[in-house]
Structures are given as structure tokens and as C-alpha cells.
Amino acid sequence: MPIINNPFNGKMNLDVANYRISNNDYIDALNITKDAQGEGQDRIVSNILGNEKIEYTLPAGTNKVIGFYSDKVRNRAYYFIYNSEGYHSILYYDLNDNTVYKILISKTDSNGVDILSFNPSYKVLSVNIFYRDEEGDLLFFNDGLNPPKYINTINIHGTSWKLEYLLIAKAPPIMPPQVVYENDTTVSINNLRNKLFQFGYRFVYENNEKSVWSSKSIVPLPQQDNLSLTQNPFTNNSRISVNVSTGGADVTGIELCFRETTNETTSDWFLIKSINKEENSIADDSIYTFNFKNDSVYAQIALTESSQLQDYVPQKANAAELANGNVLLYAGITEGYNKTNMNLEATSNGATTGFFFDTCGLLFFAECEGLNSGSTGSRLKIRVFGTGTNTDGVVTTLDNPAGTYTIHVADTTSLNEVGIAYTYNSATPLLVSTLLGNISAALIGSSANWSQYSLSGNVLTMDYNGEFILYSSGIILREPVDVPQNTTFSNAYNSGYEFAIQYFDSVGRTIGAQTSTKASFTTFARTTADFNVPFETNLYIYNTPPLEARYYQVLRSNNTTYNKILYWISTSARSGIYTLGDLTRYAYINIDNIQAYNEEISLSLIHISEPT
């Protein structure tokens, strides 16, 4: 039968009488199309091509197509296929070579876990493609039942896919930066003096997305090793060790940021460095250490970025579109969570034992899979940082090692505690290798399931015969009789504070701070007969966390009693020699520069009390 191609500018018209049909319109057509196969023949009427079966073996069970998308740019057709056994598929048919290709099969390519969760009652109606030249196109899809997802059309994870690799909402780091001052004999100038610093970081993901910034670190204080901060060798407290999680296999980079406080003024956030994991041979799910010396010119981060609390991709959406080819839009969204019925209680006292303490110039923590809390595994890494002697950038001798080094670890089967509380109660400097060796022996003594895998530099690696969960780790403060009083963190006397809890879901979404009436407390007043300092504040959490919560963080208000406290940096300070049992001890603070500071901040009155 001959194929006849005739040009028609009209259309099929069944609405008018036959005698009123316009030229080139028609009232009947069989087996024709105006989308011809030939180039430049879209208006040519021609025969429809016949069907052709393309061989492809689908997983066992009932398979049903619940989504389809025609990609005219790549000449492909994408299929989303539900499988009754959970082996859901994303495939595409390539018209260029007449072949069906697999992008992902759930469970088969995800270690037996169903990460697509297709449902035949929920069609994949919203499909969009973001085109890229070399890195693979990004296929965005949404079914209205599951969180919005996307996938690189190049199978970049093989058979090691995880759900988080598919989610459009990208999770920020869970662990805040762990920071501490250290000495560094290689510096020629100390750029950290007369300033205080705080740090944060965020993940850069494989398709160039960036998470929001992590929760921020504490503001570390330098170690006051000889009671005269300004007369120390300038190499003391000359760098800050910043330790961050490296993220999973889908995290390709880490960005570090900081802000500084000088003369009571806190700056905006600045980008320290963007670090590529592959180029720097950084392992996944581990800890990366960066030594901050404040020795570069840093770019300021836009306030809209640094202040963004969470990724605002909704939990669910009924429709999605890629506006302008690069802007995701969602409609009919589900977002936010209900408030939690909070039940918190806070107390304060002057004790200095029994709780973890941020010690100036000393940082100790354990981690599993790159997290210092809540992670499960069979390998535990214990890390030590701080002021002291360092070799090749790693601390080898600690100047202020006194404390109880505590690790709370439980066996996941028996739930028995298999951690330690190792105490070093002396002011004598201690080799890091000796400290970690003693901790290794203590762990092995606590359970026969522990064995030492390695001890290299300031990192001890221990293996557990079974599986454990890491709850927490840190230092419980000890004050030996031969240790002079170091700078310590504490609350102000006779002052009100309030605690709150912030719950986060798996991708860092939160409804913000939640508290209750008993979460507020007032520290005790100072008396001349009692030199206790309000170090310890305890928070008791009695409520059940919400179902969506995966982790939480404790928040504390500023001082709610005094909001007009003068802070300034003295040019020098000295103290009398400490003698055991002698409570008559004086500190001498130089105030020569206080008038200039007073004028700079336009403060009208400053009162300094005589020492008692």
C-alpha cells in the first residue's frame, strides 16, 4: 500500500454540518498523524508507525506503570513502574537505539530497602527534567504520597542507593562543630587574640546542592595556663581546632564558616573555606579537622543564607513544576508539625562534677560513623585535642589533662553499659599516646568485646565484637589541688535563664524552640563566705519526643535578669599566687583602656567595685 503524504493546514471538525466544512478541515481520519517522523514535516499528514515490542525483563510480581514522561530533548520516554513486591522501577526507553535502560530498581539497588515506596493509587503525575551536559540530567518526580524526590539519570550509586540520596530536601549536619584552642609553634603572629570566635559548617551534595548551615559551635575560650593571658608566648592559643562530620557518600564537599566578637560587637558570618572531599582524600562518615588561624581574607556570607533555619521543601506536595527550567515550585503542600506537649524542668547549682564540662584547651569526644551521639556500629573512634606540644600539627602532649574521660556506650542487644569513666587527676602534662592507651585499657577492662584496632596520633580506634550505640562522651571536670584555676564557663550570679528544646526531622526541618514553665531557673547569689560559681545547670526532659523527631538540641536564653553588663578586653591582668587553703586571693585587672572603650560605645557610666 503506498504511503501518501498530503499537507493539511486544518483540523478534524465534527462540530459543523458537512456543507459548512472549511477548506483543509476534515470529518474523518484513520491511522494518520500530523507529527511526522521526517525532519521539518510536523504539519505533514502521514501514516502512524506500527508498534514494536522492546524486550525487557521486569522484576517478579505485578508491575504497573504509574507514571510516564516524554523527553523530546533526549528522545527518550521515562517510566515509573509500581511492583507488588516492592521492587519498583524507574526506566527509560531510548528511541535513538531502541533500548530500555534501568535507572533504579528499589530494593535491588538499595540493599533490600524500598526507597521509592510507589503506590498504584498515587500516580506520578509531576515529572520534570533539569538538563546538564556532562554530569547527568536530574529527573524530578512527585506522587503526592511521598516526599518530593529526584534522581540523576546516570546511575551514580550503582547498588548502594539510600533514601536520602533521592530526597530533594538536603539534610544539614547533625553534629555541631567541636572546637578548642591549641598551641602552634609554626605561626609567626597570633591573630586570635582579643577576639572570640564561633563556627558552623554545611554540606555540599553531589548535584551541587547545599544544605542549610549546621547548628553553631560553642564560643571556645583560650587556656589560661599561667594566669597572665597577654604575657604568654604568642604561639600559645594561636589556632582553633575545628572538627566536623564529613557526611555520607552523597556529600562531595564541606563549607566552613565563622563569626567573631570584638569589643562587644559580633560580626556577620564569613566563609572560611570550601573543601572538596575527593581532592583532599576525606573519608565518608568520618571526622575532618581544620586548624583555624584567622590568617586569610574571608568572604562574607549573605544574611539570607546564614540565617536560614531549615530547607523549606515540603513533606508532601500534590503538584510540582520546574519553572523557567531551574526553579522548583510545589502546590498543595504539607508542611510543618504540630506542637509537642513539653515537660521540662531546669535546676542550677555550683557543683563541678558529675556532668560534662567544656574545658578550655582540652577537647575529648568519641564518634561512630562521623557522629558523636546517637550513632550505631561496631567501630568507635576516640579523639583528643587541646593546648600543649604538637608535632606535624597534631597535639602530642596535653598541658591541662586533668579530668574524668567518659564514654557512654551500650550494647544494642543487651542494652548493658560498656563504656568507661577514666580519671587523670593531676596537673602534670600528659602524653596523648599515654592517655589514649589508658582509655583503651579501660574499655577492654569494661567488656571483653572491646579490642584495640589502632592508635595513631591523637586518634584511638576500638572494635566491638557486636554492635553498640554511642550515647555521649566528654570530660567531667576535676580540680586537683596542684592545678591553678583556669578560665571556665559559667552562668552569672543571681540571674534568670530559660531552656528550650528544638526537635529536628531526618532532613533538619523544625518548628523551632519549644519549652515549658519549669524550664526556667535562677542561679544563686554570690556571698563573701561562699566562692561557689554557678557552673552546673541541669535540664530534665520528661516529655515524649514527637514521632517525626530524629534528633534534638538544647537551647538556652540569654541572661533574662541583666542585659546591661559591660564587657571589654583589658590590656593586662595578673593574679596572686595560689596557696592551698588560702582564700585571700586577688586578681589585678588593668583598666587604663576602659575610658577609650567607654567613649567608643557611648556608655555614660561605668562602676568598678573594690575587691572584697
Side-chain angles (χ1 to χ4, degrees):
M1 176 179 177
I3 298 177
I4 300 174
N5 292 337
N6 290 321
F8 280 91
N9 296 323
K11 60 187 179 298
M12 180 178 288
N13 191 340
L14 302 178
D15 297 328
V16 300
N18 290 346
Y19 64 87
R20 300 189 66 179
I21 291 291
S22 302
N23 290 337
N24 290 320
D25 282 0
Y26 44 92
I27 60 174
D28 193 16
L30 180 65
N31 195 30
I32 68 169
T33 179
K34 295 179 72 175
D35 187 15
Q37 296 296 309
E39 184 177 351
Q41 296 184 348
D42 284 346
R43 299 178 64 86
I44 300 298
V45 174
S46 59
N47 296 102
I48 294 176
L49 297 179
N51 294 336
E52 180 180 354
K53 183 178 180 180
I54 306 299
E55 296 293 338
Y56 183 83
T57 303
L58 292 170
T62 301
N63 295 283
K64 180 179 180 180
V65 176
I66 61 171
F68 171 82
Y69 184 77
S70 176
D71 179 5
K72 296 183 179 181
V73 174
R74 304 293 189 203
N75 210 20
R76 296 174 178 175
Y78 290 91
Y79 296 87
F80 302 85
I81 303 175
Y82 160 81
N83 178 268
S84 59
E85 305 297 324
Y87 293 88
H88 316 298
S89 305
I90 301 178
L91 313 172
Y92 72 85
Y93 167 62
D94 194 329
L95 278 74
N96 298 305
D97 57 10
N98 236 23
T99 304
V100 175
Y101 292 94
K102 176 197 76 172
I103 298 179
L104 174 67
I105 296 181
S106 190
K107 297 177 75 170
T108 298
D109 297 331
S110 54
N111 297 313
V113 179
D114 182 8
I115 61 175
L116 289 176
S117 301
F118 286 157
N119 187 306
S121 299
Y122 291 84
K123 305 298 188 292
V124 182
L125 300 177
S126 299
V127 183
N128 296 277
I129 297 179
F130 179 73
Y131 295 100
R132 303 192 298 180
D133 292 334
E134 298 178 357
E135 301 141 310
D137 299 334
L138 302 182
L139 181 69
F140 295 85
F141 59 96
N142 182 60
D143 60 5
L145 173 65
N146 298 292
K149 297 184 176 76
Y150 80 121
I151 191 170
N152 194 319
T153 56
I154 299 175
N155 190 336
I156 56 178
H157 289 291
T159 58
S160 301
W161 283 90
K162 295 181 180 179
L163 174 60
E164 54 261 37
Y165 300 170
L166 298 175
L167 296 178
I168 292 176
K170 293 304 178 185
I174 295 177
M175 186 185 83
Q178 304 297 302
V179 296
V180 68
Y181 275 85
E182 291 189 325
N183 303 334
D184 191 338
T185 57
T186 66
V187 301
S188 57
I189 186 172
N190 189 331
N191 291 312
L192 304 184
R193 284 192 169 173
N194 299 328
K195 301 176 182 179
L196 295 175
F197 298 88
Q198 190 177 28
F199 300 87
Y201 67 113
R202 67 180 174 184
F203 289 149
V204 180
Y205 285 88
E206 58 196 5
N207 293 310
N208 298 319
E209 305 114 319
K210 296 179 180 179
S211 72
V212 297
W213 294 96
S214 70
S215 297
K216 305 309 186 289
S217 71
I218 65 167
V219 178
L221 299 179
Q223 181 200 359
Q224 186 178 349
D225 57 348
N226 65 0
L227 302 176
S228 181
L229 279 172
T230 59
Q231 294 182 10
N232 291 340
F234 67 87
T235 56
N236 286 3
N237 298 299
S238 57
R239 75 181 187 203
I240 299 175
S241 175
V242 183
N243 301 273
V244 298
S245 296
T246 62
D250 57 334
V251 175
T252 60
I254 304 167
E255 292 190 344
L256 303 175
C257 70
F258 81 99
R259 64 179 177 180
E260 66 179 45
T261 298
T262 307
N263 293 333
E264 207 181 27
T265 301
T266 301
S267 70
D268 291 329
W269 291 93
F270 292 88
L271 180 66
I272 300 174
K273 190 176 183 180
S274 296
I275 303 163
N276 185 285
K277 287 172 60 175
E278 182 179 3
E279 292 176 358
N280 291 274
S281 301
I282 299 174
D284 298 330
D285 297 316
S286 185
I287 297 293
Y288 174 75
T289 301
F290 178 83
N291 291 324
F292 175 76
K293 303 177 184 178
N294 195 25
D295 56 357
S296 299
V297 177
Y298 304 103
Q300 186 172 339
I301 299 170
L303 186 60
T304 53
E305 282 190 41
S306 61
S307 61
Q308 185 174 341
L309 181 62
Q310 61 183 353
D311 194 322
Y312 290 104
V313 175
Q315 287 98 304
K316 296 179 183 179
N318 292 330
E321 188 55 65
L322 200 61
N324 298 325
N326 61 2
V327 179
L328 275 171
L329 301 178
Y330 291 101
I333 63 174
T334 298
E335 64 177 357
Y337 296 105
N338 294 328
K339 292 184 65 176
T340 306
N341 186 16
M342 303 297 293
N343 187 2
L344 307 176
E345 184 175 348
T347 62
S348 175
N349 57 59
T352 59
T353 60
F355 64 99
F356 290 146
F357 198 87
D358 291 314
T359 303
C360 302
L362 182 60
L363 173 64
F364 166 82
F365 67 95
E367 55 97 357
C368 174
E369 300 295 328
L371 293 176
N372 64 346
S373 178
S375 51
T376 301
S378 59
R379 176 162 290 179
L380 185 71
K381 291 188 176 181
I382 298 141
R383 300 172 184 268
V384 177
F385 304 86
T387 52
T389 306
N390 62 67
T391 304
D392 296 328
V394 177
V395 62
T396 55
T397 302
L398 294 171
D399 282 347
N400 59 332
T404 298
Y405 297 77
T406 307
I407 304 174
H408 290 301
V409 182
D411 186 286
T412 54
T413 302
S414 66
L415 297 182
N416 291 331
E417 179 87 12
V418 291
I420 59 147
Y422 167 75
T423 299
Y424 183 79
N425 199 22
S426 172
T428 305
L430 179 65
L431 288 173
V432 169
S433 58
T434 301
L435 171 63
L436 293 178
N438 292 340
I439 291 173
S440 174
L443 277 172
I444 294 172
S446 70
S447 172
N449 288 326
W450 286 109
S451 62
Q452 180 176 312
Y453 176 78
S454 67
L455 200 171
S456 177
N458 63 333
V459 181
L460 167 66
T461 304
M462 302 292 293
D463 281 340
Y464 188 74
N465 183 21
E467 193 174 70
F468 63 80
I469 180 169
L470 172 63
Y471 290 122
S472 60
S473 59
I475 296 172
I476 296 175
L477 180 67
R478 293 290 182 188
E479 295 184 12
V481 294
D482 56 348
V483 176
Q485 183 68 38
N486 189 11
T487 306
T488 54
F489 297 87
S490 71
N491 297 307
Y493 289 107
N494 199 24
S495 297
Y497 296 92
E498 187 172 8
F499 279 123
I501 294 292
Q502 191 169 10
Y503 291 106
F504 298 86
D505 68 7
S506 60
V507 293
R509 287 182 290 237
T510 178
I511 64 170
Q514 299 184 84
T515 188
S516 62
T517 56
K518 291 184 178 181
S520 59
F521 64 94
T522 301
T523 58
F524 53 83
R526 181 183 178 185
T527 64
T528 57
D530 187 356
F531 290 94
N532 279 344
V533 177
F535 291 113
E536 180 175 343
T537 53
N538 299 319
L539 175 65
Y540 300 91
I541 306 172
Y542 296 114
N543 60 272
T544 302
L547 293 177
E548 73 274 2
R550 293 298 177 268
Y551 61 99
Y552 73 93
Q553 291 182 355
V554 177
L555 310 179
R556 195 209 70 182
S557 69
N558 289 325
N559 190 320
T560 60
T561 303
Y562 302 105
N563 59 0
K564 297 288 186 180
I565 299 176
L566 170 67
Y567 296 93
W568 99 101
I569 298 174
S570 172
T571 56
S572 62
R574 299 189 65 83
S575 172
I577 303 299
Y578 175 74
T579 303
L580 179 61
D582 181 10
L583 297 180
T584 306
R585 193 174 176 203
Y586 296 91
Y588 302 92
I589 302 173
N590 189 324
I591 62 172
D592 288 345
N593 64 333
I594 199 169
Q595 183 61 37
Y597 180 76
N598 176 29
E599 295 173 354
E600 180 180 343
I601 65 173
S602 300
L603 191 64
S604 59
L605 175 64
I606 297 175
H607 175 71
I608 299 178
S609 299
E610 294 293 331
T612 58

